[in-house]
């Protein structure tokens, strides 16, 4: 039986962590996957990679829905979730990966436009997406849990995983707005987890460390600035998108059935050092 027999929905899926998460759902036999991003060309590449996985596994019946989506737009977010539900009737595993980098400046050198741009995607966008996803989950029946060792696992209406950051837990120079936006995601996750646990909806977040993605490596100056953080982490290396995707799938799956409101730090040990 598939580990993920329901419907997966991933934002920020054109590259990096979002793409790795979508591919991981496909590799774990999830047959209905919806992917969203502003970069539709990147979504097409992700779709092609999912199709390659299906061919290698000899699978039939895989369905992928890809659409351009601005997570900062309430109208687009609501429409995106409705489109997925219109096709497949529900959403079961939602991973909100869409985000942007900070402006690498102190508060006194940060403009209101920069503040709004960062928080609009990193916090407001997560809130809009998770709100729409939870609203749908409240209307659907729980999926029956699989047999465990000695007992059947508890069924659930859905699982939401928000991607925050290690910088939502600790501070860093020249990053007040970015750190605040990610701390807000952690706080949002905890509060929503409290509010919807009784409805059989689990809500958690992942806090990545420095990860080797196109976003972090696109600016050589920014990439070089990350090196001290890599060296602080006991593991002394940059993380991979797959390592974050693994954490996201764990939190979506039945193996995390009693995990609620957790901020799972995946940072090579940065925050403990």
């Amino acid at each position: 039986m598939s580990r993920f027999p329901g419907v997966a929905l991933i934002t920020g899926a054109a590259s990096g962590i979002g793409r790795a998460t979508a591919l991981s759902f496909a590799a774990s036999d999830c047959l209905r996957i919806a992917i969203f991003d502003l970069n539709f060309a990147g979504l097409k590449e992700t779709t092609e990679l999912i199709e390659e996985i299906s061919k290698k596994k000899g699978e039939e019946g895989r369905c992928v829905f890809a659409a351009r989506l601005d997570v900062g737009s309430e109208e687009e977010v609501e429409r995106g979730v409705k489109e997925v539900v219109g096709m497949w009737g529900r959403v079961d595993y939602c991973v909100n990966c869409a985000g942007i980098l900070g402006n690498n400046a102190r508060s006194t050198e940060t403009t209101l436009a920069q503040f709004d741009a960062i928080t609009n995607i990193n916090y407001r966008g997560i809130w809009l997406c998770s709100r729409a996803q939870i609203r749908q989950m409240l209307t659907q029946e729980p999926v029956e849990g699989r047999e465990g060792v000695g007992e059947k696992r508890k069924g659930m209406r859905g699982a939401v995983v928000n991607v925050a950051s290690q910088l939502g837990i600790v501070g860093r120079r020249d990053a007040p707005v970015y750190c605040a936006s990610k701390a807000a995601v952690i706080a949002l996750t905890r509060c929503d987890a409290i509010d919807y646990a009784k409805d059989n909806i689990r809500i958690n977040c992942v806090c990545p460390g420095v990860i080797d993605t196109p976003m972090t490596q696109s600016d050589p100056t920014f990439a070089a600035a990350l090196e001290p953080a890599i060296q602080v982490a006991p593991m002394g290396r940059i993380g991979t998108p797959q390592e974050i995707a693994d954490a996201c799938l764990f939190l979506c799956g039945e193996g995390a059935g009693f995990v609620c409101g957790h901020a799972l730090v995946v940072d090579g040990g940065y925050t403990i050092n």
Side-chain angles (χ1 to χ4, degrees):
M1 179 184 289
S2 170
R3 287 174 53 203
F4 298 99
V7 178
L9 186 161
I10 304 100
T11 68
S15 64
I17 294 169
R19 172 177 287 179
T21 301
L23 298 182
S24 294
F25 272 114
S28 299
D29 302 325
C30 184
L31 296 180
R32 293 169 290 176
I33 302 173
I35 53 176
F36 295 98
D37 202 293
L38 274 175
N39 177 6
F40 190 71
L43 287 179
K44 289 182 66 177
E45 293 177 3
T46 302
T47 301
E48 292 169 358
L49 291 169
I50 291 174
E51 291 171 350
E52 288 181 14
I53 291 173
S54 297
K55 289 178 182 177
K56 289 179 180 178
K57 293 171 70 68
E59 286 179 338
E60 295 181 1
R62 168 99 63 204
C63 295
V64 181
F65 173 72
R68 189 178 185 277
L69 177 71
D70 177 4
V71 298
S73 165
E74 180 181 22
E75 180 180 330
E76 290 191 26
V77 168
E78 295 288 340
R79 184 174 66 243
V81 172
K82 286 179 181 178
E83 287 176 331
V84 176
V85 174
M87 287 186 298
W88 295 323
R90 59 188 296 127
V91 292
D92 295 285
Y93 329 107
C94 296
V95 184
N96 297 310
C97 299
I100 61 173
L101 296 173
N103 61 324
N104 208 40
R106 299 184 301 173
S107 286
T108 50
E109 284 87 48
T110 297
T111 67
L112 181 59
Q114 290 171 328
F115 177 92
D116 287 342
I118 295 166
T119 55
N120 187 53
I121 301 301
N122 289 357
Y123 174 46
R124 184 173 183 266
I126 292 279
W127 178 72
L128 286 172
C129 289
S130 62
R131 183 183 66 160
Q133 295 154 3
I134 294 166
R135 183 179 287 148
Q136 166 56 31
M137 290 174 179
L138 287 169
T139 71
Q140 58 197 36
E141 291 299 316
V143 173
E144 185 177 355
R146 295 184 300 165
E147 291 296 331
V149 179
E151 63 180 45
K152 180 170 285 190
R153 294 180 175 90
K154 303 293 184 182
M156 66 177 187
R157 280 196 169 91
V160 177
V161 176
N162 300 318
V163 176
S165 170
Q166 66 181 18
L167 294 180
I169 298 172
V170 298
R172 180 179 72 79
R173 64 184 303 168
D174 298 330
V177 181
Y178 181 82
C179 290
S181 71
K182 294 300 187 175
V185 171
I186 296 172
L188 169 69
T189 298
R190 289 170 175 162
C191 292
D192 279 348
I194 293 169
D195 287 338
Y196 299 103
K198 64 182 182 298
D199 299 299
N200 288 341
I201 299 171
R202 292 189 303 102
I203 304 164
N204 295 282
C205 66
V206 173
C207 301
V210 182
I211 307 300
D212 187 9
T213 68
M215 183 171 67
T216 59
Q217 300 301 312
S218 60
D219 182 345
T221 302
F222 182 81
L226 295 175
E227 189 60 31
I230 296 171
Q231 296 307 315
V232 166
M235 293 184 74
R237 66 170 176 85
I238 197 167
T240 69
Q242 182 63 62
E243 288 170 320
I244 307 307
D246 289 343
C248 292
L249 264 69
F250 165 69
L251 290 174
C252 284
E254 289 182 314
F258 202 48
V259 182
C260 178
H262 185 56
L264 178 56
V265 181
V266 188
D267 67 349
Y270 176 90
T271 55
I272 64 170
N273 207 26

